[in-house]
Amino acid sequence: LHCIYCFAATRTEHGFAELTLEDYYRILNEAKQIYSTIDIHFTGGEPLLSKKTLSVAKYAKSIGFTTRILTNATLIDDKLAKGLKSTGCEKVESNMDGYDAKTYDCFRGVAGSFDATIRGIKACIENGIPVRCNVMETKMNIFGLKKIVDKAYEIGVREVCVVPLESGGRAKVNTQLAFQEDDVEELRAFYKDVVQWFDEKYG
């Protein structure tokens, strides 16, 4: 996809050298032995574009890490969800920055991405993988948070997290997305209202 706020604004036409499986395994071993790391998050860009991700995740689990995948979920079908489950993946995190195709696809830069993301999230849930939906906090979408929460709940998600926008990658260019200091009071009032609404509706 081509997300308008992505901090990983890479230019793949220049090419890159992907690590070998042995490289990944060595790095994981060092992370465990030298740095006492306990939790590994696979992210990108899109980690599921790599054919190695499931093998690396399975190895990470086998040497004692907890693992989670941060993905747009558009590539996940029943078969891939089963593959993720077999790695011991603890959780999938997928963004839900809109509550329908109109409010979501403009963030992703690809038509049809909302429907594909919803299918991927459902496939994970149906295969017993918990899903957390992250909502990037921008001026374009955050005031639709109640509808986003409702949509997430409707498809079986039980964890939603608002994530602050990082000023890097494409977000540094698309400056209209970011809230400013003089927006703070409006945001505080909005979140106070959302919390009250959420408690009353979902408990």
Side-chain angles (χ1 to χ4, degrees), residues 23-183:
D23 289 330
Y24 283 116
Y25 297 163
R26 175 179 51 78
I27 290 166
L28 287 169
N29 287 330
E30 289 178 359
K32 187 164 188 65
Q33 294 163 9
I34 299 173
Y35 303 106
S36 302
T37 306
I38 58 172
D39 195 21
I40 298 288
H41 293 194
F42 293 86
T43 185
E46 175 49 55
L48 295 177
L49 283 172
S50 172
K51 305 300 183 189
K52 299 184 179 84
T53 297
L54 294 190
S55 296
V56 178
K58 199 167 197 173
Y59 181 77
K61 185 70 175 179
S62 76
I63 61 172
F65 289 115
T66 57
T67 61
R68 62 178 66 184
I69 308 282
L70 282 67
T71 171
N72 60 42
T74 58
L75 300 175
I76 301 176
D77 55 14
D78 185 67
K79 181 180 178 183
L80 184 49
K82 284 180 167 58
L84 285 169
K85 181 71 173 175
S86 75
T87 70
C89 177
E90 304 275 333
K91 185 180 291 187
V92 162
E93 292 188 26
S94 182
N95 276 57
M96 187 175 284
D97 298 314
Y99 51 84
D100 60 15
K102 183 179 179 182
T103 59
Y104 184 86
D105 289 3
C106 62
F107 274 91
R108 301 288 164 240
V110 177
S113 54
F114 177 75
D115 292 338
T117 293
I118 296 298
R119 282 194 302 270
I121 290 172
K122 285 182 175 179
C124 290
I125 293 170
E126 287 164 4
N127 282 280
I129 306 172
V131 176
R132 178 175 108 171
C133 282
N134 296 324
V135 183
M136 190 64 69
E137 183 189 67
T138 78
K139 285 186 173 184
M140 281 180 67
N141 69 321
I142 201 61
F143 295 113
L145 183 57
K146 292 178 183 178
K147 290 183 178 179
I148 292 171
V149 169
D150 283 340
K151 184 63 182 178
Y153 190 88
E154 175 192 314
I155 63 173
V157 173
R158 294 297 179 265
E159 185 180 2
V160 174
C161 178
V162 174
V163 179
L165 182 68
E166 293 184 29
S167 182
R170 296 191 189 109
K172 202 167 186 178
V173 177
N174 296 315
T175 54
Q176 77 281 6
L177 298 173
F179 285 99
Q180 306 300 325
E181 283 187 27
D182 55 3
D183 297 313

Side-chain angles (χ1 to χ4, degrees), residues 177-197:
L177 298 173
F179 285 99
Q180 306 300 325
E181 283 187 27
D182 55 3
D183 297 313
V184 169
E185 290 308 316
E186 180 186 13
L187 274 173
R188 279 189 183 142
F190 169 71
Y191 284 129
K192 184 177 180 181
D193 174 63
V194 169
V195 168
Q196 183 178 344
W197 165 84

